[in-house]
Amino acid sequence: MRNLFTLVGILFIITADAQVNYKTTEHSAKFIRQINPRVLTPDFNAQLFLLEAPLPGGSSYRSFLLQQKIKQNQRFKDKEISKSKSTKSESGMAPILGKNFGFTRVLPSGTEIMLTGGIPNDNTLAVSNGGVLLAAINSLVYAYDLDNDTIIFPQGSLSLRTIAGGGGAVDYYFDPKLIYDEQEDRFILVFLKNADPASNGYIVAFSSSSNPLDPWNTYFLSGNPLNNERWTDFPAISLSAGVLYITGNLIIDTAPTWQEGFDGSIIWKVNTAEGYAGAAEINSELYSDIKFNDRFIRNLHPVQGARGQAEEVYFMSNRNFDLENDTMFVLQLKPSPEGDTILEIKQTQTDTPYGMPPNAKQADTDPNDPTGGLQTNDARVLGAILLEGEIKFVANTINPETGFSSVYYGKVSDPSGDALISGMILGDSLLDYGYPNIAFAGNENCDAEVMIGFNYSSPDSFPGIACKYIDNEGNISETLILKQGEGYVDRLTGTYERWGDYLGFQTRFNQPGKVYSSGYYGLISRKNASWVNEIISPDTTQLYVSTVQSGNAASCTGVITTEIANGRAPFTYFWNSVEGAATYSEACNGQMVNLLVSDSRGCSVSLDILPESTQATGVLYPNPFVNQVNYKFLLEEATKIEASIYDVAGKLVAEIIKSDAKKGLNELQFNLDPLAEGVYFLRIFSDNELIMSERLVKASD
C-alpha cells in the first residue's frame, strides 16, 4: 500500500531577512444577557437579502471573484495550470451511513416541509458526548437529541437575533460557528452582528451546562477593536487549554475596492471558564497587524483538536485568491523563552499547488459562462485538525486534471519545527466538489484515519452532500453520497447561486469512529436545505484483548492467557511493565495484574486483571458483610496460620490472627467494624505461603 503523502515540501523558515510583525492589545468581552431557551418564544427573525448578483466588472469582493474565475477558466483552456503529481486514485473501504435527517417546519395546514436554508446555508454543528447535536443554518440554531431522536428546543429553533438579545430593526446576524468543549461538556456559539464599524462585532454565547435548554451567557466583542473605523468579517474558532480562539478579517468600510479594504486578519483569545460562569466581562487578548515580510496574512483558520481541545495552538493560511500558488503559512502561538506568548509564523511551500476554484456547475449552468453556477468563493483553508502532532487540512481548489472545483487535502509534518507540507487534490471527472471539512475518524488512539465531507454538484446531479474516508495507510475510499439533491437551486437573479459558505463536521469524541456532518443540498422547489448525517468508520482492525484465567491463584500459580481479536501481528506483551509472552503464570489471588498489549501498528490495549482462585478453598459468609464475618475452610493437615486483611491495591490493612489450626474443617470468626465500606481480601498464610484468599465486601449499615 502506498503512503498518503510524499514529503517533499520546501521550507522557508523565518530568517533575519524575513520580517514578522504583529501587535497585542488587552480588551474585554462585555456581558449582554443570559437567555433561557425554556421560556423563549419564536421571534419574527426578519432578514433582508439582496438577490441581485454582482457583475464581474465591479469593485466588490464578489465581483473580483468573478473576474478571477474568468481568468482561471481561460488558463485551463490554454493549459497554463501546473499538472498535479499527487492526485490520488480511489480505493479502500467506504464509510458506513448511520442516522440521517433534515430540519423541517410544519405549515398551518399540518403539512411538514423541509426548512429552506439561507443564502448561503453557513452550515455548522457541534456534537456532545451526551448525544446532543447543535446545528446552525445561517440565522437559526437547532438542538437535537441523537440518542432519543427528539427535537430539544420547544420552539423548534432559536434565531441568532434571539440569542443576541434582539437588537434594533436594522440589526442583522450572520456567519455562525459552533464548537463543543469536551473537557467542560459545554457548547460555544460565535456569530457576527452587522457590517459597519459602529455596531459590528462578535456575539459569543456560552452554554451553562451540557443541556442546551439551560441558560446561555452571551457576550459582545467589538468588531472595531482598535477604534479605527474597521469591521470584522468571516469568523473561525478553536479551543485549547480552556481558551477560545476566534479569528476574523478586518475590513475598511470606506475603501474604494475590496482589495484596498482588507486591513489584516486578527486572533482573539477568550477565557472560557469566565463565559461558562457568566462573568460580568471576560478579559480578552487581541493579536492584530499580523504580517509576513510586510504583507498581511489573510483568512487565518484555527486548527482544531482531532479528539477535542487542541494540544497546541496553530493557524493555517495561504494565498487564497491566487490563480495558482504553492505558498502556505503555519502560525503558532507558543511560549517564549522569557515566559510570555509569542506568535511564530512560518512560510512554506507545498509539493502540490492549489488555485482559485471555478464555480460548480448545475443543471441550469451555461457551460460557456465561468461566472455562473454555484459560487465556490476562493481557495482558503476551510478545515484543519491537529492529530498526533500533525496538521491535516482541507480547502477548495481547482483540479488541474479536469478544470473542476475540487478538494485540496494537505498535511503539515512537524508544524512546530520544519513544517513540511505535502498535499493532493481529491476530485472527480463528473462532479464539482466544494466547501470541504475534515474530522478524525479513528476508533483507536493510534489511528490516523480521517473523514472529509463536502458539497457536490454537476449538470446531471443536483447539489448534494458527500464524503470520503482515508484509512491509516492513506487509501482513499470512493465518494459516498450522504444526501442526493432533489433539484437545482435558483434563488438569485444572476447566473450564479450562493453555496456553502462552509460545512459542519465533527467527531463524536466519546464514540470514536463516528463523525457527524451538516451540508447543503437542492430541493425540488429550486431552493436549498440542510441535511445531517452520521458517518461511521469502516475500520475493522481495532485491537481487542480479553483474558482467560486458570491454575491456582490462591497459591500464586494462577495462569492468565491472552486472547486477541483483530489488530496486526506481531504483538508484544507487558505484564506489570515487564515484557513477556502471551501467558502469565504467576498470578496471586487478589493481587492486581496489569497487561499491556501492542501490535505492529503501535496500537495498544491496557487491562487491569484481578486474579481469582479457581479452587474451592472455603466458604465466606455473609458477603457482603456489615461487621461479623465467618470463614469455614478445610485443611489437609495441621499447620500454623496467619490471617490478614488487604485492600484492592494489595496493601496490608490489618493482621487479624496468628494461631495453630487443626486438620479438617475449621471456622474463623472476626469482626471488621473498624473498616470503611469497600472491597478487601482475606488472605491466609502457612509458613509464609499464601494458601487461601477470599474477596470481602464491606457494606453500609
Side-chain angles (χ1 to χ4, degrees):
M1 297 181 179
R2 293 194 299 165
N3 290 328
L4 178 56
F5 296 93
T6 303
L7 299 180
V8 295
I10 302 173
L11 175 69
F12 290 86
I13 293 187
I14 300 171
T15 65
D17 297 327
Q19 296 181 350
V20 176
N21 303 101
Y22 63 90
K23 298 175 182 177
T24 61
T25 49
E26 298 295 327
H27 298 265
S28 65
K30 304 297 184 182
F31 183 79
I32 301 174
R33 68 166 187 161
Q34 187 178 80
I35 66 162
N36 188 346
R38 298 178 192 273
V39 298
L40 292 174
T41 56
D43 61 25
F44 290 101
N45 192 34
Q47 300 176 88
L48 182 65
F49 297 99
L50 176 64
L51 299 183
E52 297 288 341
L55 298 175
S59 60
S60 70
Y61 160 71
R62 301 215 168 271
S63 294
F64 172 77
L65 286 180
L66 296 181
Q67 297 171 32
Q68 291 295 88
K69 291 177 190 298
I70 292 172
K71 294 178 182 177
Q72 189 72 296
N73 179 67
Q74 188 59 50
R75 289 182 72 239
F76 180 77
K77 288 181 178 179
D78 295 339
K79 304 298 181 183
E80 292 181 8
I81 299 176
S82 301
K83 291 298 181 182
S84 168
K85 297 180 181 179
S86 299
T87 301
K88 185 83 172 182
S89 60
E90 296 174 344
S91 62
M93 300 177 291
I96 302 164
L97 282 180
K99 297 178 181 178
N100 61 95
F101 56 91
F103 296 104
T104 62
R105 65 186 180 96
V106 179
L107 300 176
S109 63
T111 302
E112 187 176 30
I113 64 171
M114 296 306 300
L115 183 82
T116 300
I119 307 176
N121 272 6
D122 289 344
N123 290 115
T124 181
L125 64 75
V127 183
S128 76
N129 288 343
V132 172
L133 182 144
L134 292 186
I137 305 170
N138 198 273
S139 63
L140 295 175
V141 180
Y142 296 83
Y144 195 83
D145 187 329
L146 292 168
D147 297 332
N148 295 303
D149 291 321
T150 55
I151 295 173
I152 294 177
F153 290 145
Q155 55 278 84
S157 64
L158 295 179
S159 71
L160 300 185
R161 175 181 293 275
T162 296
I163 295 169
V170 298
D171 291 326
Y172 63 100
Y173 304 90
F174 59 103
D175 280 2
K177 289 293 177 73
L178 280 160
I179 197 166
Y180 171 65
D181 183 345
E182 91 296 346
Q183 291 187 10
E184 300 298 329
D185 198 17
R186 301 286 192 275
F187 294 98
I188 302 174
L189 168 66
V190 177
F191 55 96
L192 291 175
K193 173 185 177 181
N194 297 343
D196 62 85
S199 61
N200 164 255
Y202 299 95
I203 306 296
V204 186
F206 297 88
S207 71
S208 62
S209 79
S210 59
N211 186 347
L213 282 174
D214 289 339
W216 289 66
N217 302 314
T218 59
Y219 295 82
F220 181 79
L221 268 176
S222 174
N224 183 24
L226 304 177
N227 294 316
N228 57 353
E229 296 301 306
R230 307 295 189 259
W231 64 275
T232 301
D233 193 18
F234 203 80
I237 58 178
S238 67
L239 284 168
S240 178
V243 175
L244 172 68
Y245 293 90
I246 312 174
T247 61
N249 297 324
L250 291 178
I251 307 298
I252 303 173
D253 200 44
T254 57
T257 68
W258 77 269
Q259 293 98 325
E260 296 172 88
F262 174 65
D263 198 39
S265 293
I266 56 175
I267 302 170
W268 283 100
K269 294 175 62 177
V270 181
N271 182 280
T272 59
E274 295 173 355
Y276 297 140
E281 63 180 26
I282 304 175
N283 293 325
S284 306
E285 187 176 7
L286 175 70
Y287 289 75
S288 63
D289 199 31
I290 302 170
K291 295 178 180 178
F292 188 90
N293 282 342
D294 206 33
R295 183 178 178 185
F296 282 128
I297 299 176
R298 190 183 190 112
N299 295 316
L300 299 177
H301 192 90
V303 178
Q304 297 188 356
R307 301 185 183 93
Q309 293 199 21
E311 298 88 358
E312 297 175 290
V313 183
Y314 293 101
F315 306 87
M316 292 289 299
S317 183
N318 60 11
R319 300 299 190 195
N320 54 294
F321 294 119
D322 288 357
L323 299 179
E324 182 178 331
N325 207 316
D326 59 6
T327 296
M328 290 190 171
F329 297 92
V330 180
L331 293 79
Q332 182 182 11
L333 280 174
K334 58 189 296 186
S336 71
E338 291 75 28
D340 55 357
T341 301
I342 61 172
L343 180 62
E344 182 179 81
I345 304 173
K346 294 189 178 78
Q347 177 179 291
T348 180
Q349 283 182 311
T350 177
D351 61 341
T352 300
Y354 57 88
M356 172 70 67
N359 286 349
K361 299 170 285 297
Q362 53 174 349
D364 67 338
T365 302
D366 181 351
N368 298 313
D369 180 8
T371 68
L374 294 168
Q375 176 60 259
T376 54
N377 288 345
D378 51 60
R380 72 187 64 181
V381 175
L382 292 169
I385 58 174
L386 182 62
L387 178 58
E388 296 299 319
E390 294 181 336
I391 298 172
K392 298 190 177 186
F393 66 94
V394 289
N396 284 341
T397 186
I398 186 172
N399 186 339
E401 306 296 331
T402 62
F404 289 2
S405 176
S406 297
V407 172
Y408 191 96
Y409 172 40
K411 181 177 76 171
V412 185
S413 299
D414 189 20
S416 63
D418 291 342
L420 295 174
I421 300 184
S422 188
M424 63 180 57
I425 294 172
L426 307 180
D428 189 89
S429 60
L430 299 175
L431 302 175
D432 284 294
Y433 295 161
Y435 298 103
N437 208 337
I438 187 169
F440 175 58
N443 48 27
E444 298 176 90
N445 285 336
C446 60
D447 282 332
E449 301 162 63
V450 296
M451 210 85 73
I452 297 176
F454 47 88
N455 298 322
Y456 74 87
S457 183
S458 80
D460 301 314
S461 299
F462 299 130
I465 313 160
C467 75
K468 286 180 178 289
Y469 161 77
I470 302 176
D471 68 16
N472 286 307
E473 283 72 40
N475 299 302
I476 303 173
S477 74
E478 295 183 355
T479 298
L480 175 69
I481 302 300
L482 301 177
K483 178 62 177 177
Q484 290 185 338
E486 300 167 1
Y488 67 88
V489 178
D490 186 11
R491 298 183 69 180
L492 300 179
T493 60
T495 60
Y496 82 67
E497 300 293 327
R498 295 296 301 277
W499 200 31
D501 275 346
Y502 34 86
L503 179 136
F505 216 56
Q506 187 210 297
T507 303
R508 184 167 174 178
F509 300 123
N510 68 332
Q511 295 187 5
K514 284 187 178 180
V515 174
Y516 288 84
S517 169
S518 176
Y520 174 115
Y521 76 104
L523 297 171
I524 197 169
S525 62
R526 296 187 181 177
K527 296 181 179 179
N528 51 287
S530 293
W531 196 260
V532 173
N533 282 94
E534 177 186 74
I535 318 163
I536 303 170
S537 167
D539 182 19
T540 59
T541 63
Q542 184 173 1
L543 176 64
Y544 290 96
V545 178
S546 60
T547 59
V548 175
Q549 296 191 38
S550 60
N552 184 12
S555 61
C556 290
T557 57
V559 177
I560 304 174
T561 302
T562 306
E563 295 185 345
I564 293 179
N566 300 328
R568 184 169 301 156
F571 303 99
T572 57
Y573 306 86
F574 284 85
W575 301 93
N576 295 328
S577 301
V578 178
E579 187 170 2
T583 300
Y584 182 75
S585 58
E586 300 176 359
C588 293
N589 198 354
Q591 294 184 2
M592 195 73 72
V593 176
N594 176 259
L595 167 64
L596 178 67
V597 179
S598 299
D599 70 2
S600 63
R601 301 171 302 160
C603 299
S604 62
V605 172
S606 178
L607 298 176
D608 287 323
I609 307 157
L610 185 64
E612 297 178 357
S613 175
T614 58
Q615 297 182 358
T617 57
V619 177
L620 184 74
Y621 64 98
N623 196 18
F625 67 94
V626 176
N627 42 44
Q628 185 71 29
V629 181
N630 301 275
Y631 183 56
K632 287 184 177 180
F633 58 97
L634 187 66
L635 290 176
E636 295 182 357
E637 59 185 19
T639 184
K640 190 177 184 68
I641 66 167
E642 296 179 14
S644 301
I645 302 298
Y646 292 79
D647 64 16
V648 292
K651 181 181 178 182
L652 177 66
V653 175
E655 295 178 349
I656 60 173
I657 194 171
K658 294 181 180 180
S659 177
D660 292 328
K662 295 180 180 180
K663 177 181 178 181
L665 186 63
N666 292 264
E667 184 177 63
L668 173 64
Q669 296 180 354
F670 50 99
N671 188 297
L672 291 181
D673 272 334
L675 294 186
E677 295 174 27
V679 177
Y680 301 89
F681 292 90
L682 168 65
R683 292 176 181 161
I684 299 178
F685 296 82
S686 175
D687 295 329
N688 293 321
E689 180 181 350
L690 180 68
I691 60 173
M692 296 178 191
S693 181
E694 295 288 348
R695 185 173 181 266
L696 298 168
V697 179
K698 172 70 180 289
S700 59
D701 293 336

